[in-house]
Amino acid sequence: MIELKTPGELDAMRLAGKVVATALQAVKAGAVVGTSLKELDEIAAEVLVDAGASSSFKDYHPRFAPSPYPAVLCTSVNDAVVHGIPTDYRLRDGDLVSVDFGAEVDGWHGDAAISFVVGTPDQADLDLIATTERGLAAGIEAARPGNRLGDIGHAIGVIGRGAGYGLLADHGGHGIGHAMHEEPHVPNEGRPGQGLRLRPGMAIAIEPMFIRGGADAYRAGDDGWTLYTADGSRAAHVEHTVAITEDGPRILTAL
């Protein structure tokens, strides 16, 4: 079932979204050469404590995972696309880092992700990130009443495929609200005019995941969580929680 939120409930989700945006900004600022992924997780955890919020990720245990998620942050480096568990790995010059974070405030969730390069960037990585961000912006622009889920997927997919990138197979965005993951699934490819019609009050997380090598395939890591590109190429992941409103898309996880 898809839950339609009232304007007041969307305002409540915005409070969670602000915590998410603040944490991602703090993590990016702390992600310098030599910083460990666990230290980045500690930065995000401190933001939660300061805001009186709780983690959407920690102890989350979906059916595919062998164990509950052990951290508040997902840190995916280079060929890791999503769901990377923070470890003692210390960031190196030129690493491409994708960070995903979720927060819960008064029973409402926010979820967003950013990608960036630590230290000296490779232009190809910067292009990958910029294109993934353009895909997100296009998907958000299509998130309007009367449009359909296929319009969002089409807007994202055209940009990713047009740049020659792969799109992580079997993965996309999702509904969000009282739970971090709700209906509907929000694909990163689609046919315009097809799929569920978008209605005011819907809240969805839109999250393109583009792969530099051009293939869609992935492999699961030994931890049972991290997904890596099958060809070893780098990937970028960006995400916002977005509300469908009569006035157009409202980004709930923006600064």
Side-chain angles (χ1 to χ4, degrees):
M1 183 179 72
I2 296 173
E3 180 184 53
L4 299 180
K5 284 78 173 175
T6 67
E9 289 172 334
L10 294 176
D11 288 341
M13 289 186 66
R14 172 62 177 147
L15 296 178
K18 287 181 179 178
V19 175
V20 172
T22 300
L24 290 176
Q25 184 183 48
V27 167
K28 184 177 180 179
V32 298
V33 174
T35 303
S36 75
L37 300 181
K38 282 186 176 178
E39 288 169 340
L40 296 183
D41 191 66
E42 291 168 0
I43 290 172
E46 288 177 5
V47 172
L48 287 174
V49 171
D50 291 344
S54 58
S55 172
S56 299
F57 291 3
K58 189 173 176 64
D59 296 326
Y60 179 61
H61 194 179
R63 285 175 294 178
F64 71 80
S67 59
Y69 193 74
V72 304
L73 200 65
C74 290
T75 51
S76 305
V77 181
N78 296 330
D79 63 332
V81 191
V82 289
H83 305 161
I85 296 174
T87 65
D88 291 324
Y89 175 84
R90 293 194 176 276
L91 294 171
R92 302 171 184 172
D93 188 51
D95 277 345
L96 194 167
V97 184
S98 296
V99 178
D100 193 356
F101 182 74
E104 179 184 356
V105 176
D106 295 330
W108 295 100
H109 292 263
D111 186 10
I114 57 174
S115 289
F116 53 87
V117 177
V118 174
T120 309
D122 182 320
Q123 185 59 50
D125 287 341
L126 295 180
D127 292 343
L128 171 65
I129 293 169
T131 304
T132 311
E133 290 173 342
R134 284 200 297 114
L136 175 59
I140 293 172
E141 177 60 27
R144 297 179 177 275
N147 280 358
R148 295 181 178 271
L149 284 177
D151 295 307
I152 294 176
H154 178 74
I156 295 169
V158 164
I159 288 176
R161 296 299 186 193
Y165 297 137
L167 278 66
L168 185 68
D170 309 319
H171 288 75
H174 51 88
I176 185 170
H178 283 302
M180 178 175 60
H181 288 140
E182 298 182 351
E183 294 295 331
H185 172 70
V186 182
N188 287 325
E189 279 194 292
R191 296 177 59 187
Q194 299 294 309
L196 180 74
R197 187 177 299 278
L198 304 178
R199 298 170 59 191
M202 292 176 63
I204 56 177
I206 301 174
E207 49 181 321
M209 293 158 271
F210 290 175
I211 297 172
R212 186 168 144 184
D216 298 352
Y218 63 90
R219 63 177 180 85
D222 293 338
D223 60 19
W225 278 97
T226 311
L227 300 184
Y228 296 91
T229 61
D231 61 6
S233 65
R234 294 187 170 194
H237 171 214
V238 294
E239 175 184 16
H240 269 308
T241 296
V242 180
I244 313 299
T245 80
E246 293 285 6
D247 298 323
R250 179 186 179 190
I251 303 175
L252 302 176
T253 44
L255 281 173

